[in-house]
Amino acid sequence: MNLKKQIADHVRDIPRSGIRDFFEIVQSMKGVISLGIGEPDFDTPWHIREAAIYSLEKGRTGYTSNLGLPRLRDSIASYVEGNFGIRYDGRTEVLVTVGVSEAIDLALRALVNPGDEVLYHEPCYVSYSPSITLARGVPVAVPTFARDHFRMTAAELEKKITRASKVLMLNFPCNPTGATQTREELEKIAALCVREDLVVLTDEIYSELTYDGARHVSIAALPGMRERTIFMHGFSKAFAMTGFRIGYACAPAILTEAMMKIHQYGILCASSTAQDAAVEALEQGAPDVEGMRREYELRRNFVVKSFNEMGLDCFKPLGSFYVFPSIARTGLASQEFSVRLLKEKSVAVVPGTAFGASGEGFVRACYATSHEQLKIAMSRIAEFVRETAAARAAA
Ligand SMILES: Cc1ncc(COP(=O)(O)O)c(C=O)c1O
């Protein structure tokens, strides 16, 4: 039997994640400093781990309601109201998921009919385009540019809207660029969504991680948007809980019910241990989040300064824990830069093209790693840039 032929066309044709391939090389090497994987270097705060341990000790090991523990849903509703100014009913408008990853998948599968177009800004998180394809939608990238600090503009969005457009996906602060949106630009985007009757999926996973006093605004909080938006958030980044695999989606009851049906048959419920830990995170974790945020801000300052000093233009992003410097000056393409940097200097960054074609000419560096490691990594990258420039001058 030709097994390859048996695989559904839309699955077979999806490329593997560029990050995964790259990190298989990284794992086979010794002494590499990785600025690659987007994962906090902090351990999950101890009291949150303790809540998980205590949950197991008490034997809380059964299924929960499909929507999630009522106490967690209430905590999520209070947290979202307190931090984002959007009010959801914990009984009917909150669904606990296996990370934001599951929330994205559920939201797309609940909304998209074959052939519907789903718009998203690019460069963007690696899963967006494949998740749209898996939901049988058509991915439509809206380019963002370094000159705008990778903000999405309503003008670029408008150019890509057609009669088949149905959904807009947003992720600000952004992975991989660190971009954030201004309220003014978001208002213009929101007005377009209302005019064109688009549903918005907003991925808020980096919302707590903003710097220089920038206050994050969610599009769901703007007038007229709550009723057409699915607000997705989780614990992986701000609470350093990637391995717990826990997140949530908040939306008007009719959309929550649609997502819940897919979740109910496909997943049943999120882990009960992770749900108990998540309650502790939301109710007691704010000081930990603030401590990590401050540390990320210091690291961002150092990394941005270092890239600019070595001649690689890098704007100072106001959010997430990534920087997206231009490597155009080196004359190397993103993939070549990243592979050579890894081989010659044992530092891993991700080629910008892993986040879409418009990432060419850039690399993503994640600064969720210790200051000491960052210092060594930056001096190795500077050395690499100097050596490449000298080789070019001699050629
Ligand atoms: C923008 C974005 N959305 C979603 C995810 C996945 O999050 P989770 O661990 O909650 O599934 C990531 C992880 O890197 C991300 O960067």
Side-chain angles (χ1 to χ4, degrees), residues 74-328:
D74 284 344
S75 294
I76 290 168
S78 312
Y79 183 83
V80 173
E81 186 175 358
N83 287 267
F84 299 86
I86 318 154
R87 193 176 288 176
Y88 292 103
D89 180 347
R91 283 171 311 142
T92 57
E93 297 184 314
V94 177
L95 170 64
V96 178
T97 59
V98 180
V100 174
S101 304
E102 196 212 349
I104 293 170
D105 182 48
L106 295 178
L108 287 168
R109 286 203 281 157
L111 291 167
V112 172
N113 284 314
D116 285 343
E117 292 182 358
V118 179
L119 300 137
Y120 59 95
H121 48 92
E122 198 199 83
C124 72
Y125 179 45
V126 288
S127 89
Y128 285 8
S129 175
S131 300
I132 296 163
T133 305
L134 287 171
R136 304 301 185 99
V138 179
V140 178
V142 179
T144 60
F145 303 99
R147 62 166 191 261
D148 302 321
H149 290 183
F150 294 101
R151 267 184 221 111
M152 181 196 234
T153 63
E156 288 296 327
L157 172 61
E158 192 166 15
K159 286 186 204 163
K160 297 286 180 175
I161 293 176
T162 70
R163 288 171 63 186
S165 305
K166 183 166 192 186
V167 175
L168 169 66
M169 296 178 76
L170 296 177
N171 166 231
F172 295 102
C174 178
N175 173 9
T177 60
T180 48
Q181 285 294 120
T182 61
R183 177 181 278 273
E184 295 68 40
E185 198 63 55
L186 265 190
E187 281 169 352
K188 288 187 205 158
I189 292 171
L192 259 185
C193 293
V194 173
R195 192 186 85 192
E196 301 293 335
D197 210 19
L198 300 179
V199 180
V200 178
L201 310 187
T202 181
D203 175 347
E204 303 277 342
I205 195 160
Y206 298 100
S207 297
E208 288 83 357
L209 304 178
T210 57
Y211 313 115
D212 296 342
R215 254 194 81 70
H216 172 72
V217 181
S218 170
I219 194 163
L222 298 182
M225 293 310 289
R226 181 196 182 282
E227 68 200 56
R228 60 174 63 249
T229 302
I230 299 179
F231 176 100
M232 304 178 297
H233 201 352
F235 298 82
S236 289
K237 311 295 172 164
F239 294 96
M241 290 174 67
T242 47
F244 279 87
R245 310 306 307 124
I246 187 93
Y248 52 92
C250 304
I254 194 160
L255 294 180
T256 304
E257 170 73 12
M259 290 188 286
M260 196 278 285
K261 283 196 282 184
I262 306 170
H263 172 78
Q264 178 174 64
Y265 294 122
I267 299 286
L268 224 158
C269 67
S271 140
S272 51
T273 316
Q275 292 193 55
D276 277 335
V279 169
E280 173 71 16
L282 289 180
E283 294 181 1
Q284 307 295 337
D288 306 286
V289 172
E290 177 54 13
M292 291 186 268
R293 190 200 66 76
R294 279 200 198 144
E295 180 58 29
Y296 290 138
E297 183 159 356
L298 295 176
R299 296 176 190 180
R300 178 208 58 160
N301 295 347
F302 169 70
V303 168
V304 169
K305 187 164 167 278
S306 305
F307 274 120
N308 283 307
E309 280 174 1
M310 67 180 85
L312 301 187
D313 291 336
C314 183
F315 83 100
K316 203 174 195 182
L318 293 181
S320 80
F321 43 48
Y322 308 103
V323 289
F324 206 60
S326 164
I327 48 131

